Amino acid sequence: MSRFKLLLYCCVLSVLLTCASCTSGSVPAVKTPQATAAKAPVADAIKVVSQRLNTTVYLPSELIPYESVAVYPKVTGFVKWIKVDRGSRVRTGEVIAQLEAPEIVSERAEAQAKLQSAQGQLLAARAKLAADQSTYEKLKAAAATPGVVAKNELVIALQAAQADAADVQTAESNVSAAQQSLQSIRQMEGYLQIRAPFDGVVTERNVHPGALVGPASGTAAALPMVRVETLARLRLVVPVPETYVAGIPVGAKVSFTVPAFPDETFTGRIARISHALDQKTRTMPVEIDVRNPAGRLAPGSFSDVLWPVERPQPTLFVPSSAVASTLERIFVVRVKDSVAEWVDVKTGVTTGSLTEVFGNLQAGDIVLVHGTDEVRPGSRLTAHLASESK
């Protein structure tokens, strides 16, 4: 009896389980429309701003002398003496060296002799002219009485006086030429004195007494005798990149530092702009005038200039993270009517967290804060403006 009840209980349980499984499988799952609709992703965005660029950047530069001259002699000769060396201060026109050239001395003596000879010939010609002129005047006076002087004698006297006048003119020309020749020789002799071209400091000396020197084009002048530089005033040459050349403020005061005085800042004013880019470096040389009365700054020193960067008109800025790039393009992702689009841009100056951009953008356009090529053009998304969350 107990076995029969157990079998009956198992059969009833099996029937109940089968009915339950059939009942549960026949009820369909209910899906709401909200579950089936895909939600557009939300992305942080910000508006493009328009503002004037006014920032500073550090640019490398070099100090050079305001004036620098390699001094060569104008004539060939031997150094008799030289009284300056590296570091010597000189004044304009000061004699710093003396040369010897015996051939110039002999040329001067010869020119003086020629001048004296020409002057003697001029005196003789003038005396002869005076005598012949007097003879002609007397004959002319006597010819006033008929039959006293033959007309032929009067003509001969006149022609002699005219010839003497021509000889005097020739002698005067010879004297003038001899004087000019002597003056030229004396001027060349004056070139034997080497003078300082301006107030400055001798930074280079390459000759000693007894050395043969000559003009820069000569074979005896491989190096200059001395080099004189102006150190009380310097030029700070700044190669400004092409990106920064717009709106260079002439006369603006700029600051710079040099390695010799790392804790000190020096100043100068923008004085000269080349207005042409170097084709190799794509930079524009700009010169800054620097006063250096104490001579603390040394020419040839490299320095860092705090360069002002300005634009003549306002430009557009976006966060630096908004600018995305691929191998083919640089762009920002603009959101318009909840649709993403790529806008090609060119970048300018970065100031703080913002980057200057140029392209088909306008102030107020909405761009993604984090530009990426993962957001494809045409994708739908919801822009969450960062300014609205504050």
Side-chain angles (χ1 to χ4, degrees):
M1 188 65 180
S2 58
R3 181 178 296 179
F4 175 76
K5 288 181 179 181
L6 180 60
L7 292 174
L8 180 61
Y9 178 75
C10 291
C11 291
V12 173
L13 182 60
S14 175
V15 172
L16 292 175
L17 291 175
T18 303
C19 293
S21 63
C22 292
T23 303
S24 60
S26 62
V27 179
V30 179
K31 296 184 179 180
T32 63
Q34 292 79 4
T36 58
K39 290 186 178 180
V42 179
D44 291 335
I46 196 169
K47 291 183 178 180
V48 178
V49 297
S50 175
Q51 63 186 34
R52 295 187 70 89
L53 176 65
N54 188 4
T55 185
T56 54
V57 295
Y58 281 98
L59 296 179
S61 58
E62 182 182 5
L63 284 167
I64 63 174
Y66 187 78
E67 295 174 305
S68 178
V69 171
V71 179
Y72 289 90
K74 296 181 180 180
V75 295
T76 302
F78 294 92
V79 178
K80 184 177 182 179
W81 53 262
I82 180 169
K83 70 174 186 179
V84 296
D85 212 323
R86 291 181 187 269
S88 300
R89 295 188 175 273
V90 295
R91 307 289 294 179
T92 304
E94 178 184 352
V95 178
I96 59 178
Q98 178 71 45
L99 304 184
E100 289 181 318
E103 62 276 11
I104 294 181
V105 176
S106 63
E107 289 177 1
R108 176 171 59 83
E110 182 181 355
Q112 286 178 336
K114 288 182 178 180
L115 175 60
Q116 292 175 355
S117 176
Q119 289 174 340
Q121 292 176 0
L122 175 61
L123 292 175
R126 285 176 176 174
K128 189 173 184 301
L129 172 62
D132 290 345
Q133 187 71 29
S134 177
T135 301
Y136 169 72
E137 295 295 336
K138 291 179 181 179
L139 291 175
K140 183 178 180 181
T145 303
V148 174
V149 177
K151 187 177 293 187
N152 186 43
E153 292 181 0
L154 185 62
V155 172
I156 293 174
L158 176 61
Q159 291 178 347
Q162 292 176 344
D164 292 340
D167 291 341
V168 168
Q169 291 181 351
T170 301
E172 288 176 347
S173 299
N174 292 338
V175 169
S176 177
Q179 288 176 340
Q180 292 180 359
S181 178
L182 178 60
Q183 183 179 0
S184 176
I185 297 298
R186 285 175 175 173
Q187 189 173 12
M188 291 184 63
E189 192 174 16
Y191 292 157
L192 296 177
Q193 290 184 334
I194 309 302
R195 300 179 180 271
F198 47 76
D199 294 353
V201 177
V202 176
T203 60
E204 180 182 341
R205 170 180 160 172
N206 300 302
V207 299
H208 302 280
L212 176 63
V213 295
S217 59
T219 58
L223 293 173
M225 293 183 63
V226 296
R227 184 178 297 275
V228 181
E229 297 180 349
T230 301
L231 302 186
R233 185 181 178 187
L234 302 176
R235 302 172 188 257
L236 183 62
V237 182
V238 186
V240 181
E242 185 176 3
T243 308
Y244 303 149
V245 298
I248 296 178
V250 178
K253 189 176 181 180
V254 296
S255 302
F256 65 95
T257 59
V258 294
F261 305 98
D263 297 332
E264 189 171 353
T265 300
F266 301 88
T267 59
R269 293 191 180 275
I270 299 175
R272 288 165 294 278
I273 305 172
S274 64
H275 297 290
L277 291 174
D278 188 321
Q279 295 184 356
K280 295 181 179 178
T281 62
R282 307 306 302 172
T283 59
M284 179 183 294
V286 177
E287 290 188 0
I288 299 172
D289 275 350
V290 178
R291 298 294 177 178
N292 187 37
R296 300 178 64 203
L297 299 174
S301 299
F302 289 100
S303 62
D304 290 325
V305 177
L306 191 60
W307 187 257
V309 180
E310 298 179 359
R311 299 284 188 214
Q313 66 278 335
T315 51
L316 302 179
F317 288 84
V318 298
S320 300
S321 59
V323 181
S325 62
T326 64
L327 296 177
E328 295 84 12
R329 59 199 300 187
I330 299 175
F331 62 94
V332 296
V333 181
R334 179 168 60 188
V335 180
K336 189 174 183 180
D337 298 331
S338 299
V339 177
E341 58 180 346
W342 290 6
V343 179
D344 293 331
V345 296
K346 293 182 178 180
T347 58
V349 179
T350 298
T351 170
S353 61
L354 299 179
T355 296
E356 189 181 25
V357 292
F358 302 92
N360 187 23
L361 289 173
Q362 295 181 355
D365 285 352
I366 298 174
V367 297
L368 295 187
V369 174
H370 301 285
T372 175
D373 58 356
E374 294 180 359
V375 179
R376 308 303 297 176
S379 302
R380 299 193 61 83
L381 51 82
T382 301
H384 177 68
L385 289 177
S387 59
E388 293 180 354
S389 62
K390 296 181 181 180

